[in-house]
Each structure stands twice: as structure tokens, then as C-alpha cells.
Amino acid sequence: MFNGLSLDQAPPISVVLRFFLTLPVFGLILSLFMIFFPIEILTPNHPFSLAGIHLLFLGMISMGMIGALFQMQSVLGGAPIPSPLGNSIIIHTLLSAGILALAGAFILQLPELFIIAAVLLGSGIVYFAQILLPLLLGKMGHDTLKGMRFALFSLLITAILGVVMASSYANGNFENTHAAIKASHYSIGLIGWVAALIIYVAFQVVEMFYVTTPYSDWCKNNVKRILGISLLLKVIWLFTALQFPWVFDIFIALLLVGFVITTVKRLRSRKRRVSDVSIWFWMMGMGLLMISLLSYGALMVRHYEPLEAMSLIAFALFALSIILGMMGKIVPFLVWFHLNAAGYMETPIMSNIIPAKRLKMSFLLFGFTALTALLSPFFPLLLIASGLSGVVLFSLLLFNLVAAAKLYRNVLATGTRFTFEP
Amino acid sequence: MLLEFMRDDHRACDHLYTEAENALADKKVDEAKKLFGAFYRATNHHFDMEEKELFITFEKRTGMMGGPTQMMRYEHQQLRALLESMLRSLNEEKYDDFFGQGESMMIMLQQHNMKEEQMLYPMIDRALSGDAELMIQRLKDMPQ
């Protein structure tokens, strides 16, 4: 019986949706946090600020990226992640519980919670890496797979450094190397995991979705080398307390500026001219990355604390913008793909799964949330406005995702399936 | 060798589709129909080249009957069905449906092309070894 096309290769839709659905939930928690504790969140190294940062980078950005990796591995890698349903439940549960424990540990300052968070998050990430990394080892032709390997390896190192720091917080005993570990933790996490994965995904999807000229082979071959070498040298510099470790930030920043310019050029000269909200998210993401780099540059010239917060907020929003834009495309496609491949005659078209109007609304809300968050280091009460806007944004996102999942279930339950013998 | 020839054909098909989609977005319906017709014929011809010549030769040479080529045939079937739906939407002037179906078709087609370019064509190139030129000529000679 013919019952689908390459469906065997794709993970069940619930695998990816599980991670995507968690993103707006953590988004809502963070937004409420921003409404009630704006000053604390904007105070560098305040426990509430650290809780907020981890809710954002782990609960939202990493959740979205890990969900996407489950899908991408099956499409790009040819060899899907084994037992995707069971493994995704294990990883998702460990990460979700770990993120809540870590945020709770920072807020409540409970040593036991730091240990619990370290165990849960450490094991979740190590478990994920030990499943996916072997599939990405060996000789691979595809640049995005090589980028995924680099990003995953960076995530693993970030997690190990995070576990070391969590034990310091639990014991209240900070070694001399604490500052170096912390700087390495966020540098490798932000650049090696988040930025590298987005760049290598861009190499694939920008050309594929919008029909643009491909990124040059030089870019595809050298981005991970430049990022890898710069990060490695920066870590060595940090641990040996050598002077001017920020020199390596300049190389990384120049590469990211190149990425922004190249991507914007490609998107502007794309062959598909049809308006698409995901392109707006990509463009906004590129703008936010540029703001992040410029404010970091300004910070180097003149140490004015709000610039540091602005740079970090803009960087997180850059990643979030790309993730939200891609989710608006991937989720309807997955619903359509799974139903259509299973032969359901009532399979809706993509634009009826998440209507363009709701996607445009989420873009506008994201724009307002981003603008107020960006300005909040200078006008802290704006973080309350950002939090309020975030509540609406993530409620809408949650509604879109739940509605798409419900539509999928309804067709499965009531739809007519077309089958034939070949 | 064969990879380049087939990849160029993928790009040519992409180009035709984007032209059709752009024309419809600009409300140039007749031009869009003409361009989509060209895309429809070119894509089906591409699938025919693979199914009637390339895959059969590859399967004979390697003995791999139920592997990647079978997967690609399945995907061709799904893409053909999508192209039919899009043609129907265009003829029935259901342009929103056309754009919605086009979105699914493009993602599906691009993923399909990527799998061929990354995995299958290099395998076929290795299987054909010195006969790649001959195969390309046979594909060029196939009536459209």
C-alpha cells in the first residue's frame, strides 16, 4: 500500500511541536517576570537577571533550535535521529525541568536547586549530543551538517561550563577561574551555538525558501573555522589571563557583519518577490544583530553599562526573530506534509493552517516587544511595556501552534484517507 | 558531471516557477498561466528524465532497487499531485489557493532537490563513471 512519501524518514510531528510549543510557555513566564521585576532583570549579574537570561536562551532560543534540529537532521542528514519520539520526550523533559530548576535556583538562591538544574540540563544536553553527534561525525558533503556539528559541539562545551558554574553557585565557592569560565560559557554559547547554527541554517534555507543566489563556498567553508579559532584563542586568553581577549571579539564581529550584509543582499535580490512574513522576520533579525554588534562596539570604546545590556538583548532578539519567522513557515508545512503524505483528502493548504493575518500580527507584536526591550536599558520601565507586549505575542504564538496541532488532530480523527495499491 | 547537469535543470525549473509566481503577484494572469505551464512541463520532464532513464540505469548498475531511487519516485508522485492542484487552482482563478499550494510545493521541491543533489546524484555519478557524458546526451535527446 502506498501511504506516503519519505514519511518514514521524517520524525513524527509531535517531536518538533513539543519543543516549539514550549517556547511560548517560557516566553510567557519571562514576560511576566519582566512586568513584575524590570529593575532587577536589568541589573547586571542580579540573580533575577541571570534567571531571565537563561529562560530566554535555554527556554526559548535553544528549545526552538533543538526542535528544528530534530527535523533538519532527517531532511539534510539522510539518517534520522533514532527513536525520535522517545528520545525527544526524554530530552524535552530533562531540559524543561532543568530550565525551571535553574531559573528557580537563581530566584530562590537555593543551592540544592542549582545541583538539580545542573544534573537535569547537563544530562539533557549530553543525551541529545550523544544521539545526534555520531550521526554528524565522519565525512559529510553538506555544509549545514558540518555547521550543525560545530554548533552542537559548542552547546556541549557551554553545558559543561554551565555545570561547573552551577556547582560553584551551589557551594557558594567561586574559584579564581570563575570569571574566565563565565566569559567562556557565554561566548561559546552565544557565538558557537546560537550564531553558528543560525548562520549555517541560513546558508541552506535562505537560498531554498526565497530562491536567492547561494552563499559563496568561501563563506560555507570558513565561517566555522573563523568562529572556532577565535573562540578557542579567546578561551585560552581568558584562562591564562592574557591581555586584550576582546581582540578575538573583533574577528567574530567582523564575520557577523559580513553575514548580515551578505544575507540582506541576498534577501533583497531574491527571485521570489511574493511578500512573506518570514522575510520580514529575517530582515528584522539581521537589523537586530547589527544593533547588537554596534552597541558592543560602542561599549568597547566607552564602557557605559546600558550598552552591554542592549547588545545582549539585541542578540537574543536576533535569534528569536529568525526562530519565530522560521516557525511560521515550518509548522504549517509540517502539518500539511504529514497529513498530505498520509493521504488525507481534507489536508488544508499551508496558508489555512496559520493564516497570514495572524503571522503579520505576531510580527508587529514582536517589533513592539523588541523595540521597547532594546530601549529598556536606558529607560528601565519600558521593560514593563515589553513584558506586556510579550504576553500578547507569546499568547498569540501559543494559540497559533495549538490551533495548528488541533487542526492536525481533527483531520487525523475525521478525515478521509486516500490509499491505493501501486 | 551529471550532478551539474541535473542541478542546472533544477535551477532552471525554480526560475520558471518564481517568474510565474511573480507574474501572478503582479496580477498578470495570462503571463502567469503561460509561465506556470512552462514550469509544469519542465518539472514533469525532469521527473521523466529521472524515472525513465537515470534511475533505471542506476538500479541496473548497482542493484539498488528499493533504496533512494524508490524514495525519489514517491516524492515525484506527491509533487506531481501538487502541480496538478496548482494548475487547477490557477485555471479556476483561486489565486490564494495557488499561492498556498505553491508554498508547500516549493518547500517540498527544494527538500527533494537537495536530497538528490547531496546524495543521489553523486551516487549516480560514481555508478556511471565514464558513461556520464553518454547519459547526459540521452537525457538531452528525450522528447519534452
Side-chain angles (χ1 to χ4, degrees), chain A residues 127-200:
Chain A
Y127 187 79
F128 179 55
Q130 64 88 24
I131 293 172
L132 186 51
L133 265 180
L135 300 174
L136 298 170
L137 293 176
K139 203 169 175 237
M140 285 180 304
H142 204 289
D143 299 299
T144 300
L145 289 172
K146 292 177 191 165
M148 278 162 56
R149 179 172 61 194
F150 177 84
L152 197 58
F153 189 63
S154 300
L155 175 67
L156 196 59
I157 296 172
T158 309
I160 293 167
L161 294 172
V163 167
V164 173
M165 284 204 300
S167 64
S168 298
Y169 278 105
N171 299 328
N173 179 17
F174 297 95
E175 305 279 336
N176 293 337
T177 51
H178 181 76
I181 293 174
K182 186 180 171 187
S184 305
H185 171 72
Y186 66 70
S187 299
I188 298 171
L190 297 182
I191 303 300
W193 163 235
V194 178
L197 190 61
I198 290 177
I199 291 172
Y200 275 92

Coordinates of all heavy atoms in Angstrom, one line a residue, chain A residues 127-200:
Chain A
Y127 N 22.8 14.0 26.6 CA 22.0 12.9 26.0 C 21.7 13.3 24.5 O 21.8 12.4 23.6 CB 20.7 12.7 26.8 CG 19.9 11.5 26.3 CD1 20.2 10.2 26.7 CD2 18.8 11.7 25.5 CE1 19.5 9.1 26.3 CE2 18.0 10.6 25.1 CZ 18.4 9.3 25.5 OH 17.7 8.3 25.0
F128 N 21.3 14.5 24.3 CA 21.0 15.0 23.0 C 22.2 14.9 22.1 O 22.2 14.4 21.0 CB 20.4 16.4 23.0 CG 20.1 17.0 21.7 CD1 19.2 16.4 20.8 CD2 20.7 18.2 21.3 CE1 18.9 16.9 19.6 CE2 20.4 18.8 20.0 CZ 19.5 18.1 19.2
A129 N 23.3 15.4 22.6 CA 24.6 15.4 21.8 C 25.0 13.9 21.5 O 25.5 13.7 20.4 CB 25.7 16.1 22.6
Q130 N 24.9 13.0 22.5 CA 25.4 11.7 22.2 C 24.5 10.9 21.2 O 24.9 10.0 20.6 CB 25.6 10.8 23.5 CG 24.4 10.5 24.3 CD 23.6 9.3 23.9 OE1 24.2 8.4 23.3 NE2 22.3 9.2 24.1
I131 N 23.3 11.4 21.0 CA 22.4 10.8 19.9 C 22.7 11.5 18.6 O 22.9 10.8 17.6 CB 20.9 11.1 20.2 CG1 20.5 10.3 21.4 CG2 20.1 10.7 19.0 CD1 19.1 10.7 21.9
L132 N 22.8 12.8 18.6 CA 23.0 13.5 17.3 C 24.4 13.6 16.8 O 24.7 13.4 15.6 CB 22.4 14.9 17.4 CG 22.3 15.7 16.1 CD1 21.6 15.0 15.0 CD2 21.6 17.0 16.3
L133 N 25.4 13.8 17.7 CA 26.8 13.9 17.2 C 27.3 12.7 16.4 O 27.9 12.9 15.3 CB 27.7 14.2 18.4 CG 28.0 15.7 18.7 CD1 29.0 15.8 19.8 CD2 28.6 16.4 17.4
P134 N 27.0 11.5 16.8 CA 27.5 10.4 16.0 C 27.0 10.4 14.6 O 27.7 10.0 13.6 CB 27.0 9.1 16.7 CG 26.8 9.6 18.1 CD 26.4 11.0 18.0
L135 N 25.8 10.9 14.4 CA 25.2 11.0 13.0 C 25.9 12.1 12.2 O 25.8 12.1 11.0 CB 23.7 11.3 13.1 CG 22.8 10.3 13.8 CD1 21.4 10.8 13.9 CD2 22.9 8.9 13.1
L136 N 26.5 13.0 12.9 CA 27.2 14.1 12.2 C 28.7 13.9 12.1 O 29.4 14.8 11.6 CB 26.9 15.4 13.0 CG 25.4 15.8 13.1 CD1 25.2 17.0 14.0 CD2 24.9 16.2 11.7
L137 N 29.2 12.8 12.6 CA 30.6 12.6 12.5 C 30.9 11.9 11.2 O 30.0 11.5 10.5 CB 31.1 11.7 13.7 CG 31.1 12.4 15.1 CD1 31.5 11.4 16.1 CD2 31.9 13.7 15.1
G138 N 32.2 11.9 10.8 CA 32.6 11.2 9.6 C 32.5 12.3 8.5 O 32.3 13.4 8.7
K139 N 32.8 11.8 7.2 CA 32.8 12.7 6.1 C 31.4 13.1 5.6 O 30.6 12.2 5.4 CB 33.6 12.0 4.9 CG 34.2 12.9 4.0 CD 35.1 12.3 3.0 CE 35.6 13.3 2.0 NZ 35.3 12.9 0.6
M140 N 31.2 14.4 5.6 CA 29.9 14.8 5.1 C 30.1 15.8 4.0 O 31.0 16.7 4.1 CB 29.2 15.5 6.3 CG 28.6 14.6 7.3 SD 27.8 15.5 8.6 CE 29.1 16.6 9.2
G141 N 29.1 15.8 3.1 CA 29.2 16.7 2.0 C 28.5 18.0 2.3 O 28.9 19.1 1.7
H142 N 27.6 18.0 3.2 CA 26.7 19.1 3.3 C 27.2 20.1 4.3 O 27.5 19.8 5.5 CB 25.3 18.6 3.7 CG 24.2 19.6 3.4 ND1 24.1 20.8 4.0 CD2 23.3 19.6 2.4 CE1 23.1 21.5 3.5 NE2 22.6 20.8 2.5
D143 N 27.3 21.4 3.9 CA 27.9 22.4 4.8 C 27.1 22.6 6.0 O 27.6 22.8 7.1 CB 28.0 23.7 4.0 CG 28.9 23.6 2.9 OD1 30.1 23.2 3.1 OD2 28.5 23.8 1.7
T144 N 25.7 22.6 5.9 CA 24.9 22.8 7.0 C 25.0 21.7 8.1 O 25.0 22.0 9.3 CB 23.4 23.0 6.6 OG1 23.3 24.1 5.7 CG2 22.5 23.3 7.7
L145 N 25.3 20.5 7.6 CA 25.5 19.4 8.6 C 26.8 19.7 9.4 O 26.9 19.4 10.6 CB 25.6 18.1 7.9 CG 24.2 17.6 7.3 CD1 24.4 16.3 6.5 CD2 23.2 17.3 8.5
K146 N 27.8 20.2 8.7 CA 29.1 20.5 9.3 C 28.9 21.6 10.3 O 29.4 21.6 11.4 CB 30.1 20.9 8.3 CG 30.6 19.8 7.4 CD 31.6 20.3 6.4 CE 31.8 19.2 5.3 NZ 32.5 19.8 4.1
G147 N 28.0 22.6 9.9 CA 27.7 23.7 10.9 C 26.9 23.2 12.1 O 27.2 23.6 13.2
M148 N 26.0 22.3 11.8 CA 25.3 21.7 12.9 C 26.2 21.0 13.9 O 26.0 21.1 15.1 CB 24.2 20.7 12.4 CG 22.9 21.3 11.9 SD 21.9 20.3 10.8 CE 21.7 18.8 11.8
R149 N 27.2 20.3 13.4 CA 28.1 19.5 14.2 C 28.9 20.5 15.1 O 29.1 20.3 16.3 CB 29.1 18.7 13.3 CG 30.2 18.0 14.1 CD 30.9 17.1 13.1 NE 31.6 17.8 12.1 CZ 32.1 17.3 11.0 NH1 32.0 16.0 10.8 NH2 32.7 18.0 10.1
F150 N 29.4 21.6 14.5 CA 30.1 22.7 15.2 C 29.2 23.3 16.3 O 29.7 23.4 17.4 CB 30.5 23.7 14.2 CG 31.3 24.9 14.8 CD1 32.6 24.8 15.1 CD2 30.6 26.1 15.1 CE1 33.3 25.9 15.7 CE2 31.2 27.1 15.7 CZ 32.6 27.1 16.0
A151 N 28.0 23.6 15.9 CA 27.1 24.2 16.9 C 26.8 23.3 18.1 O 26.8 23.7 19.2 CB 25.8 24.6 16.2
L152 N 26.6 22.0 17.8 CA 26.2 21.0 18.8 C 27.4 20.8 19.8 O 27.2 20.7 21.0 CB 25.8 19.7 18.2 CG 25.1 18.7 19.0 CD1 23.8 19.4 19.6 CD2 24.7 17.5 18.2
F153 N 28.6 20.8 19.2 CA 29.8 20.6 20.0 C 30.0 21.9 20.9 O 30.3 21.7 22.1 CB 31.0 20.5 19.0 CG 32.3 20.1 19.7 CD1 32.4 18.9 20.4 CD2 33.4 21.0 19.8 CE1 33.6 18.6 21.0 CE2 34.6 20.7 20.4 CZ 34.6 19.5 21.0
S154 N 29.6 23.0 20.4 CA 29.7 24.3 21.2 C 28.7 24.2 22.3 O 29.0 24.6 23.5 CB 29.4 25.5 20.3 OG 30.4 25.6 19.3
L155 N 27.5 23.7 22.0 CA 26.4 23.6 23.0 C 26.9 22.7 24.2 O 26.7 23.0 25.4 CB 25.1 23.0 22.4 CG 24.0 22.8 23.4 CD1 23.5 24.1 24.0 CD2 22.8 22.0 22.7
L156 N 27.6 21.6 23.8 CA 28.1 20.6 24.8 C 29.1 21.3 25.7 O 29.0 21.1 26.9 CB 28.7 19.5 24.0 CG 29.0 18.2 24.8 CD1 27.7 17.6 25.3 CD2 29.6 17.1 23.8
I157 N 30.0 22.1 25.1 CA 31.0 22.7 26.0 C 30.4 23.8 26.8 O 30.7 23.9 28.0 CB 32.1 23.4 25.1 CG1 32.9 22.3 24.3 CG2 33.1 24.2 25.9 CD1 33.8 22.8 23.3
T158 N 29.4 24.5 26.2 CA 28.7 25.5 27.0 C 28.0 24.9 28.2 O 28.0 25.4 29.4 CB 27.6 26.2 26.2 OG1 28.2 26.6 25.0 CG2 26.9 27.4 26.9
A159 N 27.4 23.7 28.0 CA 26.7 23.0 29.1 C 27.7 22.5 30.2 O 27.4 22.7 31.4 CB 26.0 21.8 28.5
I160 N 28.8 22.0 29.7 CA 29.8 21.5 30.7 C 30.3 22.7 31.6 O 30.4 22.6 32.8 CB 31.0 20.9 30.0 CG1 30.6 19.6 29.3 CG2 32.2 20.6 31.0 CD1 31.5 19.0 28.3
L161 N 30.6 23.8 30.9 CA 31.0 25.0 31.7 C 29.9 25.5 32.6 O 30.1 25.9 33.8 CB 31.4 26.2 30.8 CG 32.7 25.9 29.9 CD1 32.8 27.0 28.9 CD2 33.9 25.8 30.8
G162 N 28.6 25.4 32.1 CA 27.5 25.7 32.9 C 27.3 24.9 34.2 O 27.0 25.4 35.3
V163 N 27.6 23.6 34.0 CA 27.5 22.7 35.2 C 28.6 23.0 36.2 O 28.3 23.0 37.4 CB 27.7 21.2 34.7 CG1 27.9 20.3 35.8 CG2 26.5 20.8 33.9
V164 N 29.8 23.4 35.7 CA 30.8 23.8 36.6 C 30.4 25.0 37.4 O 30.6 25.1 38.7 CB 32.1 24.0 35.9 CG1 33.2 24.6 36.8 CG2 32.6 22.8 35.2
M165 N 29.8 26.0 36.7 CA 29.4 27.2 37.4 C 28.2 26.9 38.4 O 28.2 27.6 39.4 CB 29.0 28.2 36.3 CG 30.2 28.8 35.7 SD 29.8 30.5 35.0 CE 28.6 30.1 33.9
A166 N 27.3 26.1 38.0 CA 26.2 25.8 38.8 C 26.7 25.2 40.2 O 26.1 25.5 41.2 CB 25.2 24.8 38.2
S167 N 27.7 24.3 40.1 CA 28.2 23.8 41.3 C 28.9 24.8 42.2 O 28.9 24.8 43.4 CB 29.2 22.6 41.0 OG 30.3 23.1 40.4
S168 N 29.5 25.9 41.5 CA 30.1 27.0 42.3 C 29.0 27.7 43.0 O 29.1 28.1 44.1 CB 30.8 28.0 41.3 OG 31.9 27.3 40.7
Y169 N 27.9 28.0 42.3 CA 26.7 28.7 42.9 C 26.2 27.9 44.1 O 25.8 28.4 45.1 CB 25.6 29.0 41.9 CG 25.9 30.2 41.0 CD1 26.3 30.1 39.7 CD2 25.7 31.5 41.5 CE1 26.5 31.2 38.9 CE2 25.9 32.6 40.8 CZ 26.3 32.5 39.4 OH 26.6 33.6 38.7
A170 N 26.1 26.5 43.9 CA 25.6 25.7 44.9 C 26.4 25.7 46.2 O 25.9 25.8 47.3 CB 25.4 24.3 44.4
N171 N 27.8 25.7 46.0 CA 28.7 25.7 47.1 C 29.0 27.1 47.6 O 29.6 27.2 48.7 CB 30.0 25.1 46.7 CG 29.9 23.6 46.2 OD1 29.0 22.9 46.7 ND2 30.7 23.2 45.2
G172 N 28.6 28.1 46.8 CA 29.0 29.4 47.2 C 30.5 29.6 47.2 O 31.0 30.6 47.8
N173 N 31.2 28.8 46.5 CA 32.6 28.8 46.5 C 33.1 29.1 45.0 O 33.1 28.2 44.2 CB 33.1 27.5 46.9 CG 34.6 27.4 46.9 OD1 35.3 28.4 46.9 ND2 35.2 26.2 47.0
F174 N 33.5 30.3 44.8 CA 33.9 30.7 43.4 C 35.4 30.7 43.3 O 36.1 31.4 44.0 CB 33.3 32.1 43.1 CG 31.8 32.1 43.1 CD1 31.1 32.5 44.2 CD2 31.1 31.7 42.0 CE1 29.7 32.5 44.2 CE2 29.7 31.6 42.0 CZ 29.0 32.0 43.1
E175 N 35.9 29.8 42.4 CA 37.3 29.7 42.2 C 37.9 31.0 41.5 O 37.1 31.8 41.0 CB 37.6 28.5 41.2 CG 37.0 27.2 41.7 CD 37.9 26.5 42.7 OE1 39.1 26.8 42.8 OE2 37.3 25.7 43.5
N176 N 39.2 31.1 41.4 CA 39.8 32.2 40.7 C 39.4 32.2 39.2 O 39.4 33.3 38.6 CB 41.3 32.1 40.8 CG 41.8 32.3 42.2 OD1 41.1 32.9 43.0 ND2 43.0 31.8 42.5
T177 N 39.1 31.0 38.7 CA 38.9 30.9 37.3 C 37.4 31.2 37.0 O 37.0 31.1 35.8 CB 39.2 29.5 36.8 OG1 38.6 28.6 37.6 CG2 40.7 29.3 36.7
H178 N 36.6 31.6 38.0 CA 35.2 31.7 37.8 C 34.9 32.7 36.6 O 34.0 32.5 35.8 CB 34.5 32.2 39.1 CG 33.0 32.4 38.9 ND1 32.1 31.3 38.8 CD2 32.2 33.5 38.7 CE1 30.9 31.7 38.6 NE2 30.9 33.1 38.6
A179 N 35.6 33.9 36.6 CA 35.3 34.9 35.6 C 35.6 34.3 34.2 O 34.9 34.6 33.2 CB 36.1 36.1 35.9
A180 N 36.7 33.6 34.1 CA 37.1 33.0 32.8 C 36.1 32.0 32.4 O 35.7 31.9 31.2 CB 38.5 32.4 32.9
I181 N 35.6 31.2 33.3 CA 34.6 30.1 33.0 C 33.3 30.8 32.5 O 32.8 30.4 31.5 CB 34.4 29.2 34.2 CG1 35.6 28.4 34.5 CG2 33.2 28.3 33.9 CD1 35.5 27.6 35.8
K182 N 33.0 31.9 33.2 CA 31.7 32.5 32.9 C 31.8 33.2 31.5 O 30.9 33.0 30.6 CB 31.4 33.6 33.9 CG 30.1 34.3 33.8 CD 29.9 35.3 34.8 CE 28.7 36.2 34.6 NZ 28.5 37.3 35.5
A183 N 32.9 33.9 31.2 CA 33.1 34.5 29.9 C 33.1 33.5 28.8 O 32.6 33.7 27.7 CB 34.3 35.4 29.9
S184 N 33.8 32.3 29.1 CA 33.9 31.3 28.1 C 32.5 30.7 27.8 O 32.1 30.4 26.7 CB 34.8 30.2 28.5 OG 36.1 30.7 28.8
H185 N 31.7 30.5 28.9 CA 30.4 29.9 28.9 C 29.5 30.7 28.0 O 28.9 30.2 27.0 CB 29.8 29.9 30.3 CG 28.4 29.5 30.4 ND1 27.9 28.2 30.2 CD2 27.3 30.2 30.8 CE1 26.6 28.2 30.4 NE2 26.2 29.4 30.7
Y186 N 29.5 32.1 28.2 CA 28.5 32.8 27.3 C 29.1 33.1 25.9 O 28.3 33.2 25.0 CB 28.0 34.1 28.0 CG 29.0 35.2 28.3 CD1 29.5 36.0 27.3 CD2 29.3 35.5 29.6 CE1 30.4 37.0 27.6 CE2 30.2 36.6 29.9 CZ 30.7 37.3 28.9 OH 31.6 38.3 29.2
S187 N 30.4 33.2 25.8 CA 31.0 33.4 24.5 C 30.7 32.2 23.6 O 30.2 32.3 22.4 CB 32.5 33.6 24.5 OG 32.7 34.8 25.3
I188 N 31.0 31.0 24.1 CA 30.8 29.8 23.3 C 29.3 29.5 23.1 O 28.8 29.2 22.0 CB 31.4 28.6 23.9 CG1 32.9 28.8 24.0 CG2 31.2 27.3 23.2 CD1 33.7 27.8 24.9
G189 N 28.5 29.8 24.1 CA 27.0 29.6 23.9 C 26.4 30.6 22.9 O 25.7 30.1 22.0
L190 N 26.8 31.9 23.0 CA 26.1 32.8 22.1 C 26.7 32.7 20.7 O 25.9 32.7 19.7 CB 26.4 34.3 22.6 CG 25.9 34.7 23.9 CD1 26.2 36.2 24.2 CD2 24.3 34.5 24.0
I191 N 28.0 32.5 20.5 CA 28.5 32.5 19.2 C 28.6 31.1 18.6 O 28.2 30.9 17.5 CB 30.0 33.2 19.2 CG1 29.9 34.6 19.8 CG2 30.6 33.2 17.8 CD1 29.0 35.6 19.0
G192 N 29.2 30.2 19.4 CA 29.4 28.8 18.8 C 28.1 28.1 18.7 O 28.0 27.3 17.7
W193 N 27.2 28.3 19.6 CA 25.9 27.5 19.5 C 24.9 28.3 18.7 O 24.5 27.9 17.6 CB 25.4 27.2 20.9 CG 24.0 26.7 21.1 CD1 23.1 27.3 21.9 CD2 23.3 25.7 20.4 NE1 21.9 26.7 21.9 CE2 22.0 25.7 21.0 CE3 23.6 24.7 19.5 CZ2 21.0 24.8 20.5 CZ3 22.6 23.8 19.0 CH2 21.3 23.8 19.6
V194 N 24.5 29.5 19.2 CA 23.4 30.2 18.7 C 23.7 30.8 17.3 O 23.0 30.5 16.3 CB 22.9 31.3 19.6 CG1 21.7 32.1 19.0 CG2 22.4 30.7 20.9
A195 N 24.7 31.7 17.2 CA 25.0 32.3 16.0 C 25.5 31.3 14.9 O 25.0 31.4 13.7 CB 26.1 33.4 16.2
A196 N 26.3 30.4 15.2 CA 26.8 29.4 14.2 C 25.7 28.6 13.6 O 25.6 28.4 12.4 CB 27.9 28.5 14.8
L197 N 24.8 28.2 14.5 CA 23.7 27.4 13.9 C 22.8 28.2 13.0 O 22.4 27.8 11.9 CB 22.8 26.7 15.1 CG 21.8 25.7 14.6 CD1 22.5 24.5 13.9 CD2 21.0 25.2 15.7
I198 N 22.5 29.4 13.4 CA 21.6 30.3 12.6 C 22.3 30.6 11.2 O 21.7 30.5 10.2 CB 21.3 31.6 13.3 CG1 20.3 31.3 14.4 CG2 20.7 32.6 12.3 CD1 19.9 32.4 15.3
I199 N 23.6 30.8 11.3 CA 24.4 31.1 10.0 C 24.3 29.9 9.1 O 24.0 30.0 7.9 CB 25.8 31.5 10.3 CG1 25.9 32.9 11.0 CG2 26.7 31.5 9.1 CD1 27.3 33.3 11.6
Y200 N 24.6 28.7 9.6 CA 24.6 27.5 8.8 C 23.2 27.1 8.3 O 23.1 26.6 7.2 CB 25.4 26.4 9.4 CG 26.8 26.5 9.2 CD1 27.7 27.2 10.1 CD2 27.4 26.1 8.0 CE1 29.0 27.4 9.8 CE2 28.8 26.2 7.7 CZ 29.6 26.9 8.6 OH 30.9 27.1 8.4

